[in-house]
Amino acid sequence: MALLIKNGRIVTAHDIFVGDILCEGEVITQIAPSVVAPEGADVIDAADKFVFPGFIDPHVHITLPFMGTFAKDTYESASRAALVGGTTSLIEMCCPSREEQPLEAFELWKSKTDQSACDYSFHMGVTRFDESTPDQLREIVNQGIASFKVFLAYKGAFGISDQELFDTLSLAKELGVIVTAHCENETLVAALQSRLLAAGKTGPEWHEPSRPPLVEASGVHHLMTFAEVTGAHVYCVHTSCRESLEVVQAAQLRGVNAWVETVIPHLTLDKTHAELPDFEGSKYVMSPPLRDKKQQAALWAGLRSRLISTVATDHAPFDFARQKEMGGDDFTKIPNGIPSIEERVRLLYTYGVGRGHIDLPTLVDCASTQAAKLFGLYPRKGTIGIGSDADLVVYDPQYRGKISSQSQEMAVDYSAFEGWEVEGRPTVVTVRGAVQVVDGQFVGTLGHGQLLTRMPTHF
Ligand code: URP
Ligand code: ZN
Ligand code: ZN
């Protein structure tokens, strides 16, 4: 079946031009100023609309077991939410406990994906490294998972020792696999948490003071040192502050192969949200924490200069009722995470492009192309080109709406962006040529999503 998208303003990471895109089977076969529709083709008129490559969210949690509970989404709810938000591929963190074997965890994570309507892959979490680990990780890489994830935080849970970090990065270097890392100094976090709690400071507003920018920058510095010693390629997830950016920039200048991700909550929300009364602040508890509003200028500047490569979500959905409430008398027990897989692109368009922080090609670059390049999906994903997967987002910039938890697809009982105005929305979204969203509503096929296998590229 053929699909022709006509007259759209096509936006890639490098170009903006008006033209037609023909999709046949699962791929794009023609891009030209005017393409004649083959007999029987479906035709979508995209006049006055943008046509973007399918967006890629390289950092999400869907069923994460964490802090004594589980993230609320399933692949059905998360992929529907991703698609109505214009995200056609996601990469979930596969996070075993320290007791689980990596191969068993990988099988378990894959077993939950049957209903996915969008394409997906995993970063393989390394939460323990012993003599049985390397062979299992080699096998997982052979199966097409070309990235690892480590945590320099969450002492006693996902966090690994320095020896384990060294072993993981050394193996990654040998295999050509990039290592994504949550960077915070976990000893400082634990010490500051104890001090605050001892002083009776128990509310969500104390989460940020327990993990200030220097604590994050210390974790980033630690990762940079280990990357420099091992030669591994590393990627700092959810980077929230100027202090961390400066550490990465200095390391890059020394020749360290390091890349930076920021996330939509850090670009749009700030620590005053975690200070809201009546425990509302708990909805805004994530790690690293929401920062002083002033930090956002550094993040936008980092995107413009490409010091920051990607904007992900770190989607981590926990209900307010009974989950966030677990930390009612102790902020260290509030499950960390802010759901945003559905809203990333609209927020980036409205509050990034619309406010003059970034231009349209930068939006495509940081929300699609760079993730594809860094994680071994390019040019199959991340661009609009002949032979690329027909993952396309027709975006109507005239649309005006408000975010509401009442209408969201995410399986969580609140929105961190309740009532926020958004400009534009993905009106049609395709995944490998199949129309999954029309008029902003999911109309697609559950189970259409495929596991994306990725080859190592970081040698
Ligand atoms: O607060 C966060 N970020 N929750 C999800 C787990 C993680 O650290 O990415
Ligand atoms: Zn993290
Ligand atoms: Zn995360």
Side-chain angles (χ1 to χ4, degrees):
M1 178 57 121
L3 174 70
L4 180 62
I5 300 183
K6 284 198 75 66
N7 304 318
R9 189 168 280 273
I10 298 165
V11 186
T12 69
H14 300 289
D15 278 318
I16 306 180
F17 56 97
V18 174
D20 297 353
I21 302 171
L22 181 65
C23 312
E24 291 173 294
E26 299 199 334
V27 298
I28 295 169
T29 53
Q30 272 192 68
I31 305 167
S34 180
V35 176
V36 177
E39 209 178 303
D42 286 335
V43 180
I44 293 170
D45 182 13
D48 302 323
K49 300 190 173 65
F50 297 118
V51 184
F52 298 124
F55 291 98
I56 301 170
D57 191 338
H59 181 173
V60 307
H61 304 275
I62 293 176
T63 57
L64 178 75
F66 190 44
M67 298 183 74
T69 186
F70 288 85
K72 276 288 303 297
D73 268 315
T74 60
Y75 261 82
E76 173 174 345
S77 59
S79 65
R80 289 171 65 115
L83 285 167
V84 301
T87 293
T88 52
S89 300
L90 57 83
I91 310 183
E92 188 190 6
M93 301 293 176
C94 173
C95 297
S97 70
R98 276 182 74 83
E99 287 70 46
E100 271 172 304
Q101 293 297 333
L103 265 173
E104 277 171 17
F106 181 49
E107 291 305 322
L108 178 66
W109 251 257
K110 278 194 296 182
S111 73
K112 300 186 178 176
T113 59
D114 290 5
Q115 295 298 302
S116 187
C118 69
D119 287 348
Y120 57 91
S121 185
F122 299 98
H123 301 295
M124 187 62 217
V126 183
T127 52
R128 186 185 67 190
F129 200 106
D130 61 24
E131 59 286 349
S132 73
T133 310
D135 282 350
Q136 296 187 60
L137 293 179
R138 279 178 216 282
E139 172 57 25
I140 290 165
V141 173
N142 284 339
Q143 290 188 34
I145 301 303
S147 47
F148 296 158
K149 170 72 186 285
V150 293
F151 292 88
L152 314 189
Y154 306 134
K155 224 176 174 42
F158 297 134
I160 54 174
S161 70
D162 280 355
Q163 180 65 51
E164 290 170 318
L165 178 61
F166 178 80
D167 290 340
T168 304
L169 292 181
S170 301
L171 181 68
K173 172 68 184 164
E174 178 197 321
L175 300 178
V177 159
I178 190 169
V179 180
T180 70
H182 175 133
C183 297
E184 289 180 293
N185 182 312
E186 60 180 0
T187 308
L188 281 173
V189 172
L192 291 173
Q193 285 178 334
S194 301
R195 183 188 280 175
L196 288 162
L197 290 176
K201 296 173 173 171
T202 58
E205 68 275 23
W206 297 106
H207 178 68
E208 201 278 340
S210 75
R211 317 170 92 103
L214 282 180
V215 165
E216 181 185 321
S218 166
V220 173
H221 187 271
H222 202 68
L223 181 75
M224 294 303 123
T225 305
F226 277 64
E228 194 163 357
V229 169
T230 59
H233 293 199
V234 294
Y235 171 97
C236 298
V237 300
H238 48 39
T239 307
S240 72
C241 58
R242 180 184 52 77
E243 289 81 347
S244 294
L245 293 177
E246 286 173 352
V247 173
V248 177
Q249 193 172 40
Q252 286 175 342
L253 291 173
R254 296 195 304 275
V256 177
N257 289 295
W259 288 268
V260 178
E261 168 196 281
T262 192
V263 292
I264 202 68
H266 287 134
L267 283 168
T268 54
L269 301 165
D270 62 74
K271 69 175 185 179
T272 61
H273 290 95
E275 293 164 0
L276 289 171
D278 302 325
F279 203 56
E280 274 289 293
S282 67
K283 295 176 179 174
Y284 300 91
V285 166
M286 67 172 291
S287 295
L290 298 178
R291 300 295 186 198
D292 192 297
K293 185 95 188 142
K294 288 202 285 273
Q295 292 284 2
Q296 290 172 359
L299 300 180
W300 290 117
L303 283 168
R304 286 193 297 276
S305 72
R306 302 298 194 270
L307 172 57
I308 300 177
S309 297
T310 58
V311 176
T313 56
D314 192 15
H315 175 73
F318 297 100
D319 276 343
F320 178 68
R322 292 180 294 283
Q323 291 191 301
K324 292 286 186 181
E325 283 174 353
M326 290 162 63
D329 53 9
D330 176 350
F331 70 87
T332 68
K333 297 196 168 69
I334 299 169
N336 287 198
I338 299 180
S340 57
I341 197 169
E342 200 161 337
E343 312 302 355
R344 176 182 62 137
V345 172
R346 275 175 283 192
L347 290 169
L348 206 46
Y349 180 82
T350 307
Y351 297 97
V353 177
R355 301 296 185 269
H357 294 301
I358 55 170
D359 59 17
L360 282 169
T362 305
L363 169 92
V364 169
D365 202 33
C366 67
S368 180
T369 311
Q370 286 300 321
K373 288 184 171 172
L374 282 168
F375 297 118
L377 292 169
Y378 190 84
R380 178 177 175 194
K381 307 285 190 189
T383 193
I384 297 177
I386 308 293
S388 293
D389 279 0
D391 296 354
L392 296 165
V393 176
V394 179
Y395 193 90
D396 178 5
Q398 309 305 331
Y399 178 84
R400 293 290 177 273
K402 276 192 181 173
I403 295 173
S404 164
S405 61
Q406 298 303 308
S407 52
Q408 72 192 9
E409 294 281 357
M410 301 181 293
V412 63
D413 68 359
Y414 77 99
S415 169
F417 306 95
E418 190 70 41
W420 284 41
E421 307 212 334
V422 278
E423 295 164 11
R425 69 169 179 186
T427 153
V428 174
V429 179
T430 68
V431 178
R432 285 177 284 102
V435 175
Q436 298 287 77
V437 170
V438 172
D439 290 335
Q441 305 300 315
F442 179 75
V443 295
T445 310
L446 293 172
H448 177 71
Q450 285 182 354
L451 173 63
L452 299 169
T453 54
R454 303 177 286 118
M455 299 294 287
T457 55
H458 288 274
F459 292 101

mmCIF file of all heavy atoms in Angstrom, residues 59 93 123 148-153 160 165 169 178-184 216 219-220 222-224 233-239 259-261 288 375:
data_model
loop_
_atom_site.group_PDB
_atom_site.id
_atom_site.type_symbol
_atom_site.label_atom_id
_atom_site.label_comp_id
_atom_site.label_asym_id
_atom_site.label_seq_id
_atom_site.Cartn_x
_atom_site.Cartn_y
_atom_site.Cartn_z
ATOM 1 N N HIS A 59 15.179 7.886 26.166
ATOM 2 C CA HIS A 59 15.280 7.631 27.615
ATOM 3 C C HIS A 59 13.887 7.592 28.215
ATOM 4 O O HIS A 59 13.318 8.634 28.557
ATOM 5 C CB HIS A 59 16.122 8.731 28.273
ATOM 6 C CG HIS A 59 16.319 8.550 29.751
ATOM 7 N ND1 HIS A 59 17.157 9.359 30.484
ATOM 8 C CD2 HIS A 59 15.804 7.663 30.650
ATOM 9 C CE1 HIS A 59 17.146 8.992 31.753
ATOM 10 N NE2 HIS A 59 16.306 7.959 31.884
ATOM 11 N N MET A 93 14.906 1.959 29.332
ATOM 12 C CA MET A 93 15.984 1.466 30.182
ATOM 13 C C MET A 93 15.573 0.110 30.748
ATOM 14 O O MET A 93 14.553 0.013 31.451
ATOM 15 C CB MET A 93 16.227 2.431 31.355
ATOM 16 C CG MET A 93 16.593 3.840 30.940
ATOM 17 S SD MET A 93 18.210 3.849 30.155
ATOM 18 C CE MET A 93 18.325 5.575 29.657
ATOM 19 N N HIS A 123 18.202 0.209 26.350
ATOM 20 C CA HIS A 123 19.560 0.343 26.850
ATOM 21 C C HIS A 123 19.681 -0.725 27.945
ATOM 22 O O HIS A 123 18.820 -0.784 28.839
ATOM 23 C CB HIS A 123 19.806 1.708 27.486
ATOM 24 C CG HIS A 123 19.595 2.882 26.567
ATOM 25 N ND1 HIS A 123 20.379 3.106 25.452
ATOM 26 C CD2 HIS A 123 18.700 3.908 26.612
ATOM 27 C CE1 HIS A 123 19.984 4.227 24.858
ATOM 28 N NE2 HIS A 123 18.961 4.727 25.532
ATOM 29 N N PHE A 148 24.610 0.455 26.872
ATOM 30 C CA PHE A 148 24.424 0.061 28.269
ATOM 31 C C PHE A 148 23.922 1.265 29.061
ATOM 32 O O PHE A 148 23.983 2.406 28.595
ATOM 33 C CB PHE A 148 25.754 -0.397 28.896
ATOM 34 C CG PHE A 148 26.357 -1.640 28.295
ATOM 35 C CD1 PHE A 148 27.722 -1.890 28.432
ATOM 36 C CD2 PHE A 148 25.584 -2.571 27.619
ATOM 37 C CE1 PHE A 148 28.299 -3.039 27.901
ATOM 38 C CE2 PHE A 148 26.144 -3.734 27.074
ATOM 39 C CZ PHE A 148 27.518 -3.957 27.207
ATOM 40 N N LYS A 149 23.452 0.988 30.278
ATOM 41 C CA LYS A 149 23.042 2.053 31.196
ATOM 42 C C LYS A 149 23.637 1.769 32.560
ATOM 43 O O LYS A 149 23.543 0.638 33.051
ATOM 44 C CB LYS A 149 21.500 2.074 31.308
ATOM 45 C CG LYS A 149 20.942 2.982 32.425
ATOM 46 C CD LYS A 149 21.090 4.439 32.082
ATOM 47 C CE LYS A 149 20.679 5.362 33.218
ATOM 48 N NZ LYS A 149 19.238 5.456 33.397
ATOM 49 N N VAL A 150 24.258 2.763 33.144
ATOM 50 C CA VAL A 150 24.746 2.604 34.521
ATOM 51 C C VAL A 150 24.210 3.750 35.384
ATOM 52 O O VAL A 150 23.890 4.834 34.875
ATOM 53 C CB VAL A 150 26.293 2.590 34.598
ATOM 54 C CG1 VAL A 150 26.865 1.347 33.935
ATOM 55 C CG2 VAL A 150 26.908 3.861 34.016
ATOM 56 N N PHE A 151 24.119 3.481 36.662
ATOM 57 C CA PHE A 151 23.665 4.479 37.633
ATOM 58 C C PHE A 151 24.797 4.770 38.608
ATOM 59 O O PHE A 151 25.275 3.849 39.280
ATOM 60 C CB PHE A 151 22.463 3.952 38.432
ATOM 61 C CG PHE A 151 21.202 3.781 37.624
ATOM 62 C CD1 PHE A 151 20.940 2.598 36.957
ATOM 63 C CD2 PHE A 151 20.275 4.815 37.523
ATOM 64 C CE1 PHE A 151 19.775 2.439 36.212
ATOM 65 C CE2 PHE A 151 19.108 4.663 36.784
ATOM 66 C CZ PHE A 151 18.853 3.477 36.126
ATOM 67 N N LEU A 152 25.201 6.048 38.672
ATOM 68 C CA LEU A 152 26.146 6.452 39.721
ATOM 69 C C LEU A 152 25.323 7.088 40.842
ATOM 70 O O LEU A 152 25.685 8.119 41.394
ATOM 71 C CB LEU A 152 27.168 7.453 39.187
ATOM 72 C CG LEU A 152 27.836 7.151 37.840
ATOM 73 C CD1 LEU A 152 28.972 8.137 37.578
ATOM 74 C CD2 LEU A 152 28.360 5.734 37.775
ATOM 75 N N ALA A 153 24.194 6.516 41.109
ATOM 76 C CA ALA A 153 23.274 7.035 42.130
ATOM 77 C C ALA A 153 22.430 5.856 42.600
ATOM 78 O O ALA A 153 22.627 4.739 42.144
ATOM 79 C CB ALA A 153 22.378 8.123 41.544
ATOM 80 N N ILE A 160 26.212 1.204 41.060
ATOM 81 C CA ILE A 160 27.315 0.246 40.987
ATOM 82 C C ILE A 160 28.574 0.843 41.617
ATOM 83 O O ILE A 160 28.688 2.060 41.771
ATOM 84 C CB ILE A 160 27.619 -0.189 39.525
ATOM 85 C CG1 ILE A 160 27.858 1.022 38.615
ATOM 86 C CG2 ILE A 160 26.522 -1.078 38.987
ATOM 87 C CD1 ILE A 160 28.309 0.651 37.216
ATOM 88 N N LEU A 165 31.996 -0.046 37.556
ATOM 89 C CA LEU A 165 31.948 0.983 36.511
ATOM 90 C C LEU A 165 33.133 0.806 35.560
ATOM 91 O O LEU A 165 32.986 0.850 34.330
ATOM 92 C CB LEU A 165 31.970 2.372 37.166
ATOM 93 C CG LEU A 165 31.976 3.568 36.219
ATOM 94 C CD1 LEU A 165 30.722 3.600 35.334
ATOM 95 C CD2 LEU A 165 32.081 4.882 37.012
ATOM 96 N N LEU A 169 32.696 -0.099 31.593
ATOM 97 C CA LEU A 169 33.206 0.795 30.543
ATOM 98 C C LEU A 169 34.283 0.091 29.714
ATOM 99 O O LEU A 169 34.357 0.282 28.492
ATOM 100 C CB LEU A 169 33.760 2.077 31.162
ATOM 101 C CG LEU A 169 32.735 3.013 31.810
ATOM 102 C CD1 LEU A 169 33.417 4.258 32.367
ATOM 103 C CD2 LEU A 169 31.640 3.438 30.854
ATOM 104 N N ILE A 178 28.041 2.254 23.424
ATOM 105 C CA ILE A 178 28.021 3.503 24.206
ATOM 106 C C ILE A 178 27.363 3.245 25.571
ATOM 107 O O ILE A 178 26.432 2.429 25.679
ATOM 108 C CB ILE A 178 27.300 4.631 23.430
ATOM 109 C CG1 ILE A 178 27.486 5.984 24.123
ATOM 110 C CG2 ILE A 178 25.826 4.316 23.209
ATOM 111 C CD1 ILE A 178 27.037 7.180 23.271
ATOM 112 N N VAL A 179 27.881 3.922 26.605
ATOM 113 C CA VAL A 179 27.342 3.727 27.961
ATOM 114 C C VAL A 179 26.600 4.992 28.386
ATOM 115 O O VAL A 179 27.196 6.069 28.488
ATOM 116 C CB VAL A 179 28.454 3.398 28.967
ATOM 117 C CG1 VAL A 179 27.868 3.199 30.369
ATOM 118 C CG2 VAL A 179 29.213 2.144 28.523
ATOM 119 N N THR A 180 25.321 4.854 28.618
ATOM 120 C CA THR A 180 24.519 5.972 29.118
ATOM 121 C C THR A 180 24.588 5.925 30.651
ATOM 122 O O THR A 180 24.648 4.847 31.242
ATOM 123 C CB THR A 180 23.057 5.882 28.641
ATOM 124 O OG1 THR A 180 22.407 4.794 29.311
ATOM 125 C CG2 THR A 180 22.979 5.640 27.128
ATOM 126 N N ALA A 181 24.603 7.106 31.271
ATOM 127 C CA ALA A 181 24.853 7.115 32.728
ATOM 128 C C ALA A 181 24.034 8.171 33.451
ATOM 129 O O ALA A 181 23.940 9.314 33.007
ATOM 130 C CB ALA A 181 26.344 7.356 32.992
ATOM 131 N N HIS A 182 23.451 7.745 34.558
ATOM 132 C CA HIS A 182 22.825 8.667 35.516
ATOM 133 C C HIS A 182 23.932 9.117 36.458
ATOM 134 O O HIS A 182 24.483 8.314 37.207
ATOM 135 C CB HIS A 182 21.713 7.929 36.279
ATOM 136 C CG HIS A 182 21.091 8.738 37.373
ATOM 137 N ND1 HIS A 182 19.725 8.820 37.536
ATOM 138 C CD2 HIS A 182 21.620 9.499 38.379
ATOM 139 C CE1 HIS A 182 19.453 9.593 38.582
ATOM 140 N NE2 HIS A 182 20.589 10.010 39.117
ATOM 141 N N CYS A 183 24.241 10.402 36.419
ATOM 142 C CA CYS A 183 25.400 10.916 37.160
ATOM 143 C C CYS A 183 24.988 11.755 38.369
ATOM 144 O O CYS A 183 24.457 12.863 38.217
ATOM 145 C CB CYS A 183 26.257 11.774 36.234
ATOM 146 S SG CYS A 183 26.943 10.850 34.859
ATOM 147 N N GLU A 184 25.222 11.227 39.542
ATOM 148 C CA GLU A 184 25.152 12.002 40.786
ATOM 149 C C GLU A 184 26.130 11.340 41.746
ATOM 150 O O GLU A 184 26.390 10.135 41.629
ATOM 151 C CB GLU A 184 23.744 11.975 41.397
ATOM 152 C CG GLU A 184 22.698 12.775 40.632
ATOM 153 C CD GLU A 184 21.329 12.708 41.286
ATOM 154 O OE1 GLU A 184 20.722 11.614 41.303
ATOM 155 O OE2 GLU A 184 20.868 13.744 41.773
ATOM 156 N N GLU A 216 25.442 16.677 41.232
ATOM 157 C CA GLU A 216 25.321 16.126 39.874
ATOM 158 C C GLU A 216 26.650 16.288 39.125
ATOM 159 O O GLU A 216 27.153 15.343 38.496
ATOM 160 C CB GLU A 216 24.187 16.846 39.136
ATOM 161 C CG GLU A 216 23.965 16.324 37.724
ATOM 162 C CD GLU A 216 22.906 17.135 36.972
ATOM 163 O OE1 GLU A 216 21.886 17.532 37.583
ATOM 164 O OE2 GLU A 216 23.095 17.374 35.756
ATOM 165 N N GLY A 219 29.164 13.736 39.992
ATOM 166 C CA GLY A 219 28.913 12.451 39.314
ATOM 167 C C GLY A 219 29.367 12.495 37.867
ATOM 168 O O GLY A 219 29.959 11.541 37.343
ATOM 169 N N VAL A 220 29.120 13.617 37.204
ATOM 170 C CA VAL A 220 29.531 13.755 35.799
ATOM 171 C C VAL A 220 31.056 13.721 35.714
ATOM 172 O O VAL A 220 31.632 13.051 34.849
ATOM 173 C CB VAL A 220 28.966 15.067 35.189
ATOM 174 C CG1 VAL A 220 29.531 15.293 33.792
ATOM 175 C CG2 VAL A 220 27.437 15.033 35.154
ATOM 176 N N HIS A 222 33.108 12.276 37.704
ATOM 177 C CA HIS A 222 33.513 10.889 37.961
ATOM 178 C C HIS A 222 33.408 10.065 36.672
ATOM 179 O O HIS A 222 34.336 9.335 36.304
ATOM 180 C CB HIS A 222 32.583 10.332 39.044
ATOM 181 C CG HIS A 222 33.134 9.179 39.790
ATOM 182 N ND1 HIS A 222 34.203 9.277 40.645
ATOM 183 C CD2 HIS A 222 32.764 7.875 39.803
ATOM 184 C CE1 HIS A 222 34.459 8.088 41.166
ATOM 185 N NE2 HIS A 222 33.602 7.217 40.661
ATOM 186 N N LEU A 223 32.279 10.216 35.998
ATOM 187 C CA LEU A 223 32.090 9.461 34.744
ATOM 188 C C LEU A 223 33.132 9.868 33.708
ATOM 189 O O LEU A 223 33.699 9.009 33.008
ATOM 190 C CB LEU A 223 30.674 9.701 34.198
ATOM 191 C CG LEU A 223 30.382 8.939 32.902
ATOM 192 C CD1 LEU A 223 30.164 7.450 33.173
ATOM 193 C CD2 LEU A 223 29.165 9.523 32.179
ATOM 194 N N MET A 224 33.394 11.163 33.611
ATOM 195 C CA MET A 224 34.368 11.639 32.616
ATOM 196 C C MET A 224 35.753 11.046 32.894
ATOM 197 O O MET A 224 36.467 10.657 31.974
ATOM 198 C CB MET A 224 34.461 13.176 32.628
ATOM 199 C CG MET A 224 33.196 13.883 32.177
ATOM 200 S SD MET A 224 32.668 13.407 30.529
ATOM 201 C CE MET A 224 31.019 12.823 30.866
ATOM 202 N N HIS A 233 32.963 5.352 25.211
ATOM 203 C CA HIS A 233 32.093 6.456 24.805
ATOM 204 C C HIS A 233 30.925 6.530 25.786
ATOM 205 O O HIS A 233 30.289 5.509 26.071
ATOM 206 C CB HIS A 233 31.569 6.232 23.384
ATOM 207 C CG HIS A 233 32.645 6.293 22.343
ATOM 208 N ND1 HIS A 233 32.378 6.497 21.000
ATOM 209 C CD2 HIS A 233 34.003 6.201 22.442
ATOM 210 C CE1 HIS A 233 33.524 6.517 20.328
ATOM 211 N NE2 HIS A 233 34.519 6.323 21.171
ATOM 212 N N VAL A 234 30.654 7.725 26.286
ATOM 213 C CA VAL A 234 29.642 7.858 27.340
ATOM 214 C C VAL A 234 28.629 8.957 27.003
ATOM 215 O O VAL A 234 28.917 9.878 26.233
ATOM 216 C CB VAL A 234 30.290 8.147 28.720
ATOM 217 C CG1 VAL A 234 31.109 6.960 29.194
ATOM 218 C CG2 VAL A 234 31.140 9.417 28.674
ATOM 219 N N TYR A 235 27.468 8.840 27.621
ATOM 220 C CA TYR A 235 26.324 9.723 27.341
ATOM 221 C C TYR A 235 25.669 10.028 28.689
ATOM 222 O O TYR A 235 25.193 9.104 29.375
ATOM 223 C CB TYR A 235 25.402 8.962 26.409
ATOM 224 C CG TYR A 235 24.046 9.532 26.096
ATOM 225 C CD1 TYR A 235 23.836 10.280 24.934
ATOM 226 C CD2 TYR A 235 22.931 9.250 26.899
ATOM 227 C CE1 TYR A 235 22.561 10.750 24.590
ATOM 228 C CE2 TYR A 235 21.658 9.720 26.570
ATOM 229 C CZ TYR A 235 21.491 10.462 25.406
ATOM 230 O OH TYR A 235 20.228 10.913 25.061
ATOM 231 N N CYS A 236 25.695 11.305 29.088
ATOM 232 C CA CYS A 236 25.121 11.697 30.389
ATOM 233 C C CYS A 236 23.625 11.943 30.216
ATOM 234 O O CYS A 236 23.233 12.878 29.517
ATOM 235 C CB CYS A 236 25.740 12.993 30.887
ATOM 236 S SG CYS A 236 27.483 12.879 31.178
ATOM 237 N N VAL A 237 22.825 11.132 30.876
ATOM 238 C CA VAL A 237 21.373 11.299 30.748
ATOM 239 C C VAL A 237 20.889 12.444 31.649
ATOM 240 O O VAL A 237 21.592 12.899 32.546
ATOM 241 C CB VAL A 237 20.616 9.986 31.088
ATOM 242 C CG1 VAL A 237 21.048 8.863 30.152
ATOM 243 C CG2 VAL A 237 20.795 9.584 32.536
ATOM 244 N N HIS A 238 19.700 12.882 31.382
ATOM 245 C CA HIS A 238 18.969 13.917 32.139
ATOM 246 C C HIS A 238 19.876 14.952 32.832
ATOM 247 O O HIS A 238 19.837 15.140 34.047
ATOM 248 C CB HIS A 238 17.963 13.331 33.121
ATOM 249 C CG HIS A 238 18.428 12.205 34.019
ATOM 250 N ND1 HIS A 238 19.656 12.171 34.587
ATOM 251 C CD2 HIS A 238 17.771 11.093 34.454
ATOM 252 C CE1 HIS A 238 19.751 11.093 35.342
ATOM 253 N NE2 HIS A 238 18.616 10.415 35.266
ATOM 254 N N THR A 239 20.685 15.625 32.022
ATOM 255 C CA THR A 239 21.599 16.654 32.552
ATOM 256 C C THR A 239 20.796 17.929 32.809
ATOM 257 O O THR A 239 20.075 18.407 31.939
ATOM 258 C CB THR A 239 22.725 16.896 31.538
ATOM 259 O OG1 THR A 239 23.315 15.627 31.235
ATOM 260 C CG2 THR A 239 23.767 17.855 32.084
ATOM 261 N N TRP A 259 28.742 12.614 25.345
ATOM 262 C CA TRP A 259 27.584 13.311 24.804
ATOM 263 C C TRP A 259 26.616 13.618 25.953
ATOM 264 O O TRP A 259 26.690 12.987 27.015
ATOM 265 C CB TRP A 259 26.887 12.447 23.758
ATOM 266 C CG TRP A 259 27.666 12.331 22.479
ATOM 267 C CD1 TRP A 259 27.558 13.124 21.372
ATOM 268 C CD2 TRP A 259 28.692 11.369 22.167
ATOM 269 N NE1 TRP A 259 28.451 12.721 20.392
ATOM 270 C CE2 TRP A 259 29.157 11.652 20.852
ATOM 271 C CE3 TRP A 259 29.280 10.311 22.862
ATOM 272 C CZ2 TRP A 259 30.149 10.910 20.231
ATOM 273 C CZ3 TRP A 259 30.271 9.562 22.247
ATOM 274 C CH2 TRP A 259 30.702 9.867 20.950
ATOM 275 N N VAL A 260 25.721 14.560 25.690
ATOM 276 C CA VAL A 260 24.829 15.036 26.760
ATOM 277 C C VAL A 260 23.376 14.970 26.299
ATOM 278 O O VAL A 260 23.045 15.372 25.186
ATOM 279 C CB VAL A 260 25.153 16.503 27.136
ATOM 280 C CG1 VAL A 260 24.197 17.010 28.211
ATOM 281 C CG2 VAL A 260 26.590 16.635 27.601
ATOM 282 N N GLU A 261 22.551 14.499 27.211
ATOM 283 C CA GLU A 261 21.094 14.526 27.049
ATOM 284 C C GLU A 261 20.521 15.457 28.105
ATOM 285 O O GLU A 261 20.988 15.473 29.245
ATOM 286 C CB GLU A 261 20.561 13.105 27.287
ATOM 287 C CG GLU A 261 19.044 12.996 27.431
ATOM 288 C CD GLU A 261 18.645 11.655 28.055
ATOM 289 O OE1 GLU A 261 18.636 10.641 27.328
ATOM 290 O OE2 GLU A 261 18.352 11.618 29.281
ATOM 291 N N PRO A 288 18.149 13.759 38.458
ATOM 292 C CA PRO A 288 18.424 14.947 39.244
ATOM 293 C C PRO A 288 17.178 15.829 39.339
ATOM 294 O O PRO A 288 16.324 15.792 38.456
ATOM 295 C CB PRO A 288 19.540 15.646 38.450
ATOM 296 C CG PRO A 288 20.160 14.579 37.613
ATOM 297 C CD PRO A 288 19.058 13.624 37.308
ATOM 298 N N PHE A 375 22.660 6.141 18.726
ATOM 299 C CA PHE A 375 22.268 4.809 19.186
ATOM 300 C C PHE A 375 22.086 3.805 18.050
ATOM 301 O O PHE A 375 21.406 2.802 18.204
ATOM 302 C CB PHE A 375 21.021 4.917 20.078
ATOM 303 C CG PHE A 375 21.290 5.723 21.321
ATOM 304 C CD1 PHE A 375 20.608 6.902 21.578
ATOM 305 C CD2 PHE A 375 22.271 5.320 22.216
ATOM 306 C CE1 PHE A 375 20.886 7.664 22.705
ATOM 307 C CE2 PHE A 375 22.561 6.071 23.353
ATOM 308 C CZ PHE A 375 21.876 7.241 23.596
#
